[in-house]
């Protein structure tokens, strides 16, 4: 059976942070950093990444759990227009599975998850100078302050999947 790559899009915090988290995982082949739009009231672009991955190496449920734990998935703060907490589905089956996953993950969080499952509509890539931001600039203060703690969490809780 062919191992076709799957894709999923995640938005939550700064796309530099989100990109670094998913670039650090086994089974993730490509991370496209940029801005994702959905439909209806979520048709505006928000910082996000598209993750292309092999589900034989890293299951979607693990990617979702990592996403929920590496951004403020229970905080409806004032920057949510720019940093929408969302998982963007690419088809109906994925949408149904993601909604079930969120219900199941809710039990491990003290506060209500605000992360939404939204249909993927369109993508605008970041400018070239911002792509691969963390791995090109690991010593920058932003990286040390905001990205390093997320990568530390990956090593502590998801080491099996870290490159």
């Amino acid at each position: 059976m062919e191992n076709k790559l799957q894709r999923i899009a995640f938005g939550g915090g700064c796309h530099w942070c989100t990109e670094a988290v998913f670039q650090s995982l086994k089974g993730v082949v490509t991370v496209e950093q940029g801005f994702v739009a959905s439909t209806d009231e979520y048709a505006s672009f928000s910082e996000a990444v598209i993750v292309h991955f092999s589900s034989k190496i890293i299951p979607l449920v693990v990617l979702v759990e990592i996403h929920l734990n590496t951004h403020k998935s229970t905080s409806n703060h004032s920057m949510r227009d720019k940093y929408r907490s969302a998982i963007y589905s690419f088809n109906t089956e994925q949408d149904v599975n993601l909604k079930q996953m969120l219900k199941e993950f809710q039990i491990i969080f003290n506060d209500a998850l605000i992360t939404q499952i939204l249909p993927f509509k369109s993508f605008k890539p970041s400018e070239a100078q911002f792509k691969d931001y963390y791995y090109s600039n690991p010593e920058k203060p932003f990286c040390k302050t905001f990205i390093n703690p997320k990568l530390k969490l990956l090593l502590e809780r998801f080491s099996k999947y870290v490159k």
Side-chain angles (χ1 to χ4, degrees):
M1 186 164 115
E2 183 182 329
N3 183 21
K4 184 179 173 192
L5 288 180
Q6 294 184 38
R7 63 185 176 151
I8 190 74
F10 295 107
C14 169
H15 51 204
W16 296 348
C17 297
T18 311
E19 176 191 56
V21 165
F22 291 105
Q23 283 179 327
S24 302
L25 299 172
K26 295 175 188 172
V28 172
V29 177
T30 306
V31 179
E32 296 178 75
Q33 182 205 110
F35 304 86
V36 170
S38 185
T39 57
D40 303 323
E41 69 263 35
Y42 304 106
S44 63
F45 283 95
S46 182
E47 291 193 20
V49 298
I50 300 174
V51 176
H52 300 260
F53 67 101
S54 168
S55 61
K56 288 188 176 204
I57 299 170
I58 189 162
L60 178 58
V61 68
V62 173
L63 294 173
V64 170
E65 183 177 10
I66 288 169
H67 179 61
L68 294 174
N69 282 283
T70 55
H71 83 283
K72 295 180 178 178
S73 59
T74 61
S75 174
N76 202 10
H77 56 73
S78 63
M79 295 294 290
R80 279 293 171 219
D81 286 339
K82 182 177 180 180
Y83 304 124
R84 185 179 303 132
S85 182
I87 305 170
Y88 300 90
S89 62
F90 285 87
N91 58 56
T92 304
E93 180 184 354
Q94 199 177 55
D95 184 76
V96 170
N97 290 337
L98 289 166
K99 287 176 179 169
Q100 183 60 39
M101 286 179 205
L102 273 192
K103 284 181 188 174
E104 292 171 10
F105 280 126
Q106 180 57 70
I107 63 172
I108 66 172
F109 288 87
N110 293 329
D111 297 318
L113 290 169
I114 62 149
T115 305
Q116 298 171 299
I117 308 302
L118 300 171
F120 176 88
K121 177 73 173 165
S122 57
F123 178 75
K124 287 191 315 191
S126 295
E127 295 176 29
Q129 74 223 37
F130 298 121
K131 293 179 182 176
D132 196 29
Y133 189 81
Y134 177 79
Y135 286 105
S136 298
N137 303 285
E139 295 302 316
K140 292 225 176 192
F142 180 89
C143 295
K144 289 181 174 183
T145 302
F146 297 104
I147 300 175
N148 282 352
K150 294 171 191 297
L151 299 181
K152 183 179 179 204
L153 182 139
L154 276 184
L155 286 171
E156 290 170 355
R157 296 190 49 197
F158 301 97
S159 61
K160 174 181 175 181
Y161 298 103
V162 176
K163 290 180 182 173

